[in-house]
Amino acid sequence: MPLRLWLIILMTAFVFTVCGAVSIGSADISMGQVWQIIWHKLSFSSLSATQIDPVVEAIILEIRLPRVLLAGIVGAALAGCGVIFQGILRNPLADPYILGVSSGAAVGAVIALLTGWGSILFGIWNVPFFSFLFALIALGLVLRLSHVGSGMRTHTLILAGVVIQAFFGAVLTFMLSQSAERMMEIQFWLMGSVALRDWSHALIIFPVVLVGLFSAWLFSRELDLFALGERSAHYLGVSVYRIRLVLLIFASLVTGAAVAVSGTIGFVGLVVPHMMRMIAGPNHRLLLPVSILAGAIFLIWADTLARLVLDPRELPIGVITAFVGAPFFAWLLRRHSRE
């Protein structure tokens, strides 16, 4: 199936997913009202203000829609980065958190939550700022550790990621042990959530995700050649070290931005790329955009379930993605073992 047809199908599914998720909640709002208000807001409708319930409009435009779109952006970011990491590292177990970026981001977030540093200067962006900053620090440490001589080997890169992940994990555990009174708040953030987020969060990370993933998509040919091995890719004209470094930076920056606003949400970047690779094939020019859209759709429905399962309480999204992702990954592991 050509890329254009895939995009039409998935974009249609994405639009209906957004409208469906926005209409679901404690307040009874029909999909027709959602379409009507969004259409009117885009100035495509001639409805007068008296024909629109201001309460319903506020619920849709100020509470549900920004949250749903943010979930879609985070899902797209994690799925796209999963494709990139699996392609560069030629490792089916690779996901956006494999290089320790998520642990670094989590440490930054916990530091901000416990100390309040920068709260006057950054306001509501205090936690995302420290999270993103420490994600960059983790990436820098991984790249420094994995740089051997004039190159960077795949296994060295993965081992460096394991080391940094373990180090920041230990720091995180220590900080949690010293803050029993705020442990629940921190644990909830670590398991992932887009609750209490507004338009500013979505609008800030959207350019980072868009630029990072589009830039990576331009290297689709190189990602295809990486599957043949480093030596073969080099003989076919790929500057292996430079391209890998560029793609690692793009993917890690996008991952850091996603973790900064949503916490760590597992399995999206691991499961969605595998599902779409089974359906659409291994060609990264097609695989990357379809995985991005599928990841957005998947996380929007996961967030919707997180809102509904224990209503009026709310589950972390990571719980839902783990319930869906773990059985799928177990099946995938058994399938590959038999092959």
Side-chain angles (χ1 to χ4, degrees):
M1 193 184 298
L3 175 60
R4 184 178 300 176
L5 186 55
W6 270 108
L7 292 180
I8 291 172
I9 293 171
L10 287 172
M11 281 301 297
T12 304
F14 175 75
V15 170
F16 277 96
T17 293
V18 169
C19 292
V22 170
S23 68
I24 296 173
S26 54
D28 188 18
I29 300 173
S30 68
M31 280 190 68
Q33 288 175 295
V34 175
W35 280 104
Q36 191 180 58
I37 289 173
I38 294 176
W39 202 250
H40 174 68
K41 198 65 180 177
L42 294 173
S43 301
F44 297 143
S45 169
S46 58
L47 288 173
S48 66
T50 57
Q51 294 175 277
I52 298 176
D53 186 340
V55 175
V56 173
E57 184 179 22
I59 291 172
I60 291 174
L61 296 181
E62 302 301 328
I63 299 175
R64 292 187 187 173
L65 187 57
R67 174 176 180 155
V68 166
L69 290 179
L70 181 62
I73 294 169
V74 171
L78 295 178
C81 290
V83 172
I84 296 167
F85 278 116
Q86 288 168 15
I88 320 174
L89 303 177
R90 292 187 295 123
N91 186 336
L93 297 178
D95 72 351
Y97 306 139
I98 194 169
L99 296 186
V101 173
S102 62
S103 291
V107 168
V110 172
I111 288 173
L113 287 169
L114 293 182
T115 65
W117 291 347
S119 56
I120 297 177
L121 181 60
F122 299 109
I124 62 169
W125 284 98
N126 184 40
V127 173
F129 172 78
F130 274 89
S131 179
F132 191 64
L133 175 64
F134 275 78
L136 294 181
I137 292 172
L139 174 62
L141 291 172
V142 168
L143 294 178
R144 185 71 187 90
L145 279 177
S146 60
H147 189 84
V148 179
S150 60
M152 181 192 305
R153 296 187 180 277
T154 300
H155 67 274
T156 309
L157 191 64
I158 295 174
L159 289 174
V162 170
V163 170
I164 297 303
Q165 185 101 343
F167 172 75
F168 278 114
V171 174
L172 185 61
T173 303
F174 172 76
M175 289 192 296
L176 287 174
S177 68
Q178 302 301 310
S179 56
E181 67 281 358
R182 301 197 65 183
M183 187 174 291
M184 289 300 296
E185 177 188 357
I186 294 169
Q187 288 286 8
F188 192 85
W189 188 91
L190 291 175
M191 288 186 286
S193 175
V194 289
L196 304 178
R197 305 294 191 266
D198 55 27
W199 283 108
S200 63
H201 293 87
L203 293 174
I204 288 293
I205 75 160
F206 178 69
V208 178
V209 173
L210 179 64
V211 171
L213 294 182
F214 179 74
S215 301
W217 180 75
L218 296 177
F219 292 97
S220 296
R221 175 183 171 272
E222 286 78 2
L223 282 169
D224 288 339
L225 294 177
F226 272 124
L228 303 175
E230 295 179 13
R231 189 184 299 272
S232 299
H234 173 73
Y235 287 139
L236 290 169
V238 177
S239 177
V240 174
Y241 174 75
R242 183 176 62 84
I243 298 298
R244 178 189 286 145
L245 181 62
V246 168
L247 288 172
L248 281 174
I249 292 172
F250 282 147
S252 298
L253 289 177
V254 171
T255 301
V259 172
V261 298
S262 66
T264 51
I265 302 172
F267 285 100
V268 180
L270 184 62
V271 170
V272 173
H274 279 295
M275 291 175 62
M276 300 316 296
R277 191 177 286 108
M278 291 164 59
I279 298 170
N283 182 353
H284 284 84
R285 185 174 178 80
L286 172 62
L287 177 62
L288 189 54
V290 298
S291 296
I292 288 169
L293 287 169
I297 294 168
F298 174 72
L299 200 63
I300 288 173
W301 285 120
D303 178 54
T304 304
L305 281 175
R307 287 192 282 123
L308 295 178
V309 170
L310 296 178
D311 188 46
R313 295 176 60 195
E314 187 171 310
L315 282 174
I317 309 179
V319 174
I320 303 296
T321 57
F323 271 124
V324 175
F328 175 83
F329 189 69
W331 170 79
L332 194 68
L333 188 63
R334 290 288 297 170
R335 181 185 175 203
H336 278 288
S337 297
R338 283 194 295 266
E339 290 175 357

